[in-house]
Amino acid sequence: MATSSMAWTRFAKKSPLQLVITIVLLALLISWTWPVFEWLFFKAQFTGADRSACTGEGACWLFIRERFDQFIFGFYEPSERWRPILVAVFWILGFVPVRWARFPGRKVIIPMLLILLPVSSWFILRGGFAGLPLVETSRWGGLMLTLLISAIGISLSLPLGILLALGRRSELRLWRWITVAFIELWRGVPLITVLFMASVMLPFFLPPGVEFDKLLRCLVGVVLFTAAYMAEVVRAGLQAVPKGQQEAASALGFGYWQSMGLVVLPQALRQVIPGIVNTFISLFKDTSLVLIIGMFDLLGMVQAASTDPEWMGYAMEGYVFAGFVFWLFCFSMSRTSLRLEKRLEQAR
């Protein structure tokens, strides 16, 4: 405390003008943000039986309390909500080998999880087998749907993006042309168009009697769209690796896939971690676009709940809640990225 006081005193003596400007800016910041804090906390209503307990002077957080289950699970059957919770536990446990560098069999388990977690999540949530009641995907929603789309999109788009990046640098001309066309096509259209085509237009091109679940079509579109962007991020990392690295691996007798998997790719991915995480964050936020095809993620459930006549006029509280949840997950991914960068930097 004494050290901070001395530093502040030296700063005030050296630059009095900067001190005055700092105090004025702090005063303006407090005057501008104080009404926000009053609305959020000091004049807000946290307890009460129903809407009548809200005074209107501050936020009515009773709206969030009453609709919390719906914001998390959507219209998922209340008696079956243990299944989304179980899936969430599986995904959390799946990150253990990712975070623990010395996890036994880590190199084999992680690729298996990229396939097993999305597939098992789909069947557990949908049910219809082994005595599990069928829950149609039209009833999925809320934060559960947001996390499901982003988790599956992240876990599948990364390996697909790596393959596309390798294909774009391939010496096989036909394969390179195919991957370039794929990447440029998906990067040239907005995600909202991809979702609209997957939901509305695709059924017209399918043979009669052939149907695909709307959520499954959405997931395919999201994975392919994100993989195209991921491919460019990975390609930038591959270009940053000196060509001599692959030549040295070849001199040691490594084949193409061995040199890529053991020498080149680890270095490339290490250099583009910020870009990869940035793509993941963008994907997580873009899940709110599924509202245009009639699927209610967290933001969609907030909008739907705010139109309820019983809670009309309290949409702002719902948007603040949704914004905080999105910020919490995005900030967590950002901090995880920083920790991973520091750990890899120390391992060099």
Side-chain angles (χ1 to χ4, degrees):
M1 183 66 70
T3 304
S4 301
S5 178
M6 292 173 61
W8 179 260
T9 303
R10 287 197 301 267
F11 172 76
K13 289 181 179 179
K14 281 186 175 182
S15 51
L17 179 59
Q18 293 185 18
L19 176 62
V20 173
I21 294 175
T22 301
I23 294 175
V24 171
L25 290 177
L26 284 175
L28 289 175
L29 181 63
I30 293 173
S31 64
W32 289 340
T33 58
W34 182 252
V36 177
F37 282 99
E38 280 191 322
W39 184 83
L40 286 173
F41 305 109
F42 303 117
K43 294 184 179 180
Q45 189 67 38
F46 295 92
T47 59
D50 52 27
R51 173 179 176 156
S52 61
C54 297
T55 61
E57 296 182 359
C60 182
W61 298 118
L62 301 180
F63 171 55
I64 305 301
R65 188 191 69 185
E66 293 297 319
R67 298 284 184 165
F68 185 78
D69 290 346
Q70 199 174 56
F71 291 161
I72 301 300
F73 300 104
F75 303 107
Y76 206 87
E77 300 294 341
S79 60
E80 300 297 323
R81 286 175 179 171
W82 61 269
R83 287 150 63 176
I85 296 175
L86 180 63
V87 168
V89 172
F90 284 162
W91 279 92
I92 294 173
L93 294 177
F95 278 103
V96 173
V98 177
R99 296 292 302 275
W100 186 10
R102 298 182 179 180
F103 192 87
R106 181 172 180 265
K107 294 182 179 180
V108 178
I109 292 176
I110 292 179
M112 291 179 58
L113 291 177
L114 293 177
I115 300 175
L116 292 178
L117 282 177
V119 173
S120 61
S121 299
W122 175 269
F123 284 105
I124 292 175
L125 291 174
R126 195 168 188 271
F129 71 98
L132 291 176
L134 178 65
V135 180
E136 296 291 344
T137 56
S138 58
R139 302 189 63 82
W140 301 9
L143 181 61
M144 178 193 79
L145 182 61
T146 298
L147 292 177
L148 180 69
I149 295 176
S150 58
I152 293 179
I154 288 172
S155 61
L156 296 183
S157 64
L158 179 58
L160 182 57
I162 292 174
L163 291 177
L164 290 172
L166 294 177
R168 186 157 190 167
R169 291 167 52 88
S170 174
E171 296 180 357
L172 299 176
R173 185 173 299 179
L174 178 60
W175 176 238
R176 186 171 67 249
W177 286 351
I178 293 175
T179 53
V180 169
F182 179 91
I183 292 171
E184 297 302 330
L185 173 65
W186 287 93
R187 291 178 67 226
V189 295
L191 180 57
I192 193 171
T193 303
V194 174
L195 295 176
F196 181 79
M197 292 291 292
S199 175
V200 180
M201 300 300 296
L202 182 61
F204 291 106
F205 298 94
L206 296 177
V210 177
E211 295 183 2
F212 287 102
D213 187 269
K214 181 192 291 187
L215 177 57
L216 188 59
R217 298 198 301 266
C218 169
L219 289 172
V220 172
V222 168
V223 169
L224 295 179
F225 180 86
T226 308
Y229 282 88
M230 191 65 66
E232 290 300 283
V233 174
V234 175
R235 185 170 69 92
L238 292 172
Q239 290 179 336
V241 178
K243 190 176 181 181
Q245 295 290 316
Q246 187 169 356
E247 293 176 350
S250 300
L252 293 174
F254 288 178
Y256 175 80
W257 292 109
Q258 283 182 314
S259 60
M260 278 294 170
L262 300 177
V263 179
V264 179
L265 268 178
Q267 299 181 63
L269 295 178
R270 178 187 299 171
Q271 297 187 43
V272 294
I273 288 176
I276 292 175
V277 176
N278 185 59
T279 305
F280 290 164
I281 291 175
S282 298
L283 169 61
F284 183 78
K285 293 186 291 185
D286 287 343
T287 55
S288 58
L289 294 176
V290 298
L291 181 62
I292 68 164
I293 59 174
M295 304 185 70
F296 293 89
D297 69 320
L298 175 59
L299 187 60
M301 292 306 306
V302 168
Q303 291 182 343
S306 63
T307 59
D308 185 352
E310 183 181 353
W311 293 101
M312 191 75 72
Y314 292 102
M316 182 60 70
E317 287 82 348
Y319 290 131
V320 170
F321 172 75
F324 174 74
V325 172
F326 273 93
W327 173 84
L328 184 64
F329 279 95
C330 293
F331 181 74
S332 300
M333 285 189 281
S334 176
R335 299 306 299 178
T336 301
S337 169
L338 291 175
R339 287 196 295 269
L340 181 59
E341 287 183 64
K342 291 181 180 179
R343 190 178 70 184
L344 293 176
E345 190 68 28
Q346 294 173 355
R348 287 185 176 184

